[in-house]
Each structure stands twice: as C-alpha cells, then as structure tokens.
Amino acid sequence: MEGDCLSCMKYLMFLFNFFIFLGGACLLGVGIWVIVDPTGFREIVAANPLLFTGAYIMLAMGAMLFLLGFLGCCGAIRENKCLLLFFFMFILLIFLAELSAAILAFIFRENLTREFFTKELKKHYLRNNDTDVFSSTWNSVMITFACCGVNGPEDFEAVPHLPYSVEKVMPEACCQRELQSREGMFVNKEACLTGIEAYQNRQGCYTVILNSFETYVYLAGALAIGVLAIELFAMIFAMCLFRGIQ
C-alpha cells in the first residue's frame, strides 16, 4: 500500500512539474516577444523603466520555471532526493518572489492612475518629435489605439507647438487614419489639425486601453493565482516524495 501511495505521489509530482514546465515556457515566450516585438510595443516598454524591468523579470522567471519544471520531472521519475531537494528550495524562492511582486504591485498601483499619466504627458510630451522616446511612444500608442491624450484632446492645451505649424492643440497622431499604423494614410490631416472634430480621434487613451485590456488583466490574475497554487502543491508533493524515498 505504501509503495502504491509513493508511486501515485511520484506521478502527481511529475504532473505538477509538467504544468510548471509549460508555464515557464509560456512566460519565456511572452518575455521574448515583448522584448523583440517589431510592431511598436517594444518602444512602449523601453520608454517606461517599470515595464522594461518587468519584461526582463518575466523572461528570467520563465527561464527559471522552465528549468525547475524540467528538474522536478526528472527528480520525480528517477526518485532522486538531491534533485527533489534542489527543486523544493528554488521553487520556494520563486514562490516568495512572486508573492512579493504581487504585494508590491498592489502597493504601487497608484502610479498607474489617470492623473499620473496626465501629469507625465503634459510634462514630457514634445508632439511630433520622434527622436524623443517618450513622445514617440505616446504617438505610437495614440495611432495604434485610435485615441488622443490620456483624457482627450484637451490634454494638449498646455503643450507648446511650433508657431508656424497648423497644429494648434491636437498633435497629428490624434488624427484619424485609414489604417491604425504609422504607415496609414490620414483621412484628412489639414482638417483635423485645424479643429474639425469629424477627422479627429476624440476619446482618451486611458479609457480605450483600459477597456481593451480589462479582460486580459483578469485572465492574467487568474493565471497568476493558478501558477502559485500549482507551485504550492508541487512543493508539498516534493517533500512528501523526498521523505518517502528510501
């Protein structure tokens, strides 16, 4: 009976580690995509130190989970106590790091408020200056999501413009395009910049992006809780299997 219980524990341990292995592979893939993506998301990440750091943390965590899942599978199937102990210690460190990151994200969530982004936009935005990373990033976001500013065009009233430009308030990134990319043709650029609302994107980017990613935020939260639960069960099975091996 004891042998059957140990065998069951071994295969359960293998199963949980297989899920950790797959989760690590997914995180690794997403981290690589975020860093090398050529469609403009890389500019957004590069412009925000928090996102830039987060992308590399995701990459490192994915690689670590990938490796530990592999080691856990090997330790369970081969019943190697050294590999099981090594797996338990490192999965515990990862579990505590992920828990700490979740707590820090909750504490510093006020840095992602509408007021914070509005203040940063008015302070650093240089309109069509694509040599400036901050301005180029905002232009890419507004073009991609067909939006304007954080709250709307009124955010640019305090942003200076060139005296000889037809741009009065709204930057050209807020003008409607036939295709939502930098290569997309303007519907009517001159009419847009001179204030005709029919050719302008009037909705603020904060609301548009929040609505676009709301479903994915809940999905990411559910996945994170799932990963933490799997890691917890994997640690329990690792210790049980470790103690059961003669």
Side-chain angles (χ1 to χ4, degrees), residues 65-103:
L65 286 174
F66 182 86
L67 176 63
L68 286 177
F70 177 76
L71 290 174
C73 287
C74 291
I77 292 299
R78 299 182 63 181
E79 298 185 7
N80 188 307
K81 296 184 76 170
C82 183
L83 282 177
L84 287 172
L85 185 61
F86 177 82
F87 165 81
F88 176 84
M89 295 301 296
F90 273 86
I91 206 73
L92 178 62
L93 289 175
I94 291 173
F95 181 84
L96 293 175
E98 289 173 345
L99 203 58
S100 301
I103 293 170

Side-chain angles (χ1 to χ4, degrees), residues 62-186:
M64 201 173 296
L65 286 174
F66 182 86
L67 176 63
L68 286 177
F70 177 76
L71 290 174
C73 287
C74 291
I77 292 299
R78 299 182 63 181
E79 298 185 7
N80 188 307
K81 296 184 76 170
C82 183
L83 282 177
L84 287 172
L85 185 61
F86 177 82
F87 165 81
F88 176 84
M89 295 301 296
F90 273 86
I91 206 73
L92 178 62
L93 289 175
I94 291 173
F95 181 84
L96 293 175
E98 289 173 345
L99 203 58
S100 301
I103 293 170
L104 287 173
F106 179 79
I107 292 172
F108 293 105
R109 68 190 186 281
E110 65 270 11
N111 288 338
L112 299 177
T113 60
R114 185 188 297 269
E115 292 73 21
F116 172 79
F117 285 117
T118 303
K119 179 182 175 182
E120 291 296 302
L121 179 69
K122 292 181 178 179
K123 184 178 179 182
H124 300 293
Y125 185 67
L126 300 176
R127 294 187 178 267
N128 297 324
N129 185 354
D130 283 338
T131 59
D132 176 66
V133 175
F134 184 88
S135 303
S136 176
T137 298
W138 261 105
N139 288 335
S140 295
V141 169
M142 291 189 291
I143 292 170
T144 301
F145 289 94
C147 56
C148 189
V150 178
N151 309 286
E154 64 274 9
D155 290 341
F156 299 104
E157 291 176 359
V159 178
H161 56 84
L162 298 174
Y164 54 82
S165 173
V166 294
E167 247 182 38
K168 299 304 179 187
V169 174
M170 182 175 292
E172 66 177 43
C174 291
C175 296
Q176 291 183 5
R177 297 173 183 248
E178 295 176 1
L179 179 66
Q180 297 307 318
S181 71
R182 286 183 177 270
E183 292 74 31
M185 297 292 293
F186 290 100

Side-chain angles (χ1 to χ4, degrees), residues 181-197:
S181 71
R182 286 183 177 270
E183 292 74 31
M185 297 292 293
F186 290 100
V187 175
N188 192 327
K189 180 179 176 180
E190 288 72 21
C192 166
L193 297 179
T194 52
I196 300 177
E197 295 185 6

